Every structure is written in C-alpha cells, then in structure tokens.
C-alpha cells in the first residue's frame, strides 16, 4: 500500500468507491466519470504503476484479466466491450496504479479518436 496512491486508498477502504467485484488480489469499481454506460476500473490489490510493471507480476496480471472478464459477465456486456490500459503520457494515464478500463453497454465507435 502506498499512502499517496488514490487507488491503494480505495483498496484500503479509505476513499469510497462503488465496488462491483472483489477477489483476494483484485478490486473492480465504477469509474467516477464514466465514458460509457458501463465503465468499471479493475485494479490489482498490489501496487504496480502501469501495465509494464504489472507484466512483471504474471500472477497479478492474470488475475486482473480474469476479473475484467468477470466484470463484463456481471455487467451483461454480451454484445462486446473494450479493455483499455492507458499507459504513460501518450496513453493519457492519469492515475499511476495500473487499472484496466472495462467499457461497454453501447456501440463504442472508432477505436481511437483522431488527434
Ligand atoms: P487513466 O486516465 O489513468 O487511464 O484513468 C483514470 C480514471 O480514474 C479516469 O477514468 C477517472 O475518471 C478515474 N478516477 C479518478 N479519480 C477517481 C476516484 O476517486 N474514484 C473513481 N471511482 N474513479 C476515479
Ligand atoms: Zn496504488
């Protein structure tokens, strides 16, 4: 746990969040500013800054992917969804505790906005 990390504090229950799924190693909660009808963030309990760091912890990485799939099932995203890891400056990452965005619930349009 890193005291200065927003998402570590959500894991610890110090900051409220609407949790939709939890395992021993992952927490999934609704994004505070949803970009789609369903927009859930899936994080490992263990602090890793980004997906590159998460890739160095294969067990946690597998657990995050499994939780993302479970969230899609719970949320009824049977017509499809996206799993997005924004990474670094060009990726637009704002919170440096790795998180998978699980978005869906409507057609999501082009994969990328044009710059
Ligand atoms: P990033 O840009 O790092 O990939 O995404 C960070 C996400 O975290 C954003 O979609 C933002 O809306 C969400 N977020 C930021 N602060 C909070 C918060 O305090 N609670 C929740 N539930 N989501 C947050
Ligand atoms: Zn953290």
């Amino acid at each position: 746990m890193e005291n200065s990390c927003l998402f570590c504090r959500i894991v610890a229950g110090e900051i409220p969040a609407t949790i939709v799924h939890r395992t021993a190693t992952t927490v999934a909660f609704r994004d505070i500013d949803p970009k789609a009808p369903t927009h859930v963030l899936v994080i490992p309990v263990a602090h890793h800054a980004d997906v590159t760091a998460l890739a160095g912890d294969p067990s946690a990485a597998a657990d995050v992917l499994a939780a993302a799939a479970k969230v899609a099932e719970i949320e009824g995203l049977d017509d499809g969804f996206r799993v997005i890891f924004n990474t670094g400056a060009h990726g637009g990452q704002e919170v440096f505790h790795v998180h998978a965005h699980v978005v869906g619930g409507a057609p999501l349009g082009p994969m990328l906005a044009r710059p």
Side-chain angles (χ1 to χ4, degrees):
M1 156 115 190
E2 297 200 0
N3 283 329
S4 61
C5 172
L6 177 64
F7 287 175
C8 280
R9 296 186 69 196
I10 285 177
V11 170
E14 294 175 7
I15 293 175
T18 304
I19 292 174
V20 299
H21 183 252
R22 186 190 276 272
T23 68
T25 56
T26 66
V27 180
F29 52 95
R30 296 201 188 284
D31 196 290
I32 203 167
D33 181 18
K35 310 296 192 300
T38 291
H39 188 169
V40 173
L41 304 177
V42 180
I43 67 172
V45 167
H47 180 93
H48 293 293
D50 60 19
V51 73
T52 304
L54 181 64
D57 183 351
S59 173
D63 290 350
V64 167
L65 275 189
K70 188 68 183 175
V71 165
E73 180 189 330
I74 291 167
E75 295 288 312
L77 304 181
D78 303 333
D79 291 329
F81 59 94
R82 286 188 188 144
V83 179
I84 301 166
F85 290 93
N86 293 325
T87 307
H90 284 192
Q93 186 177 4
E94 294 177 349
V95 177
F96 287 84
H97 181 133
V98 65
H99 46 282
H101 296 257
V102 179
V103 288
L108 296 169
M111 188 171 73
L112 295 174
R114 295 198 182 279

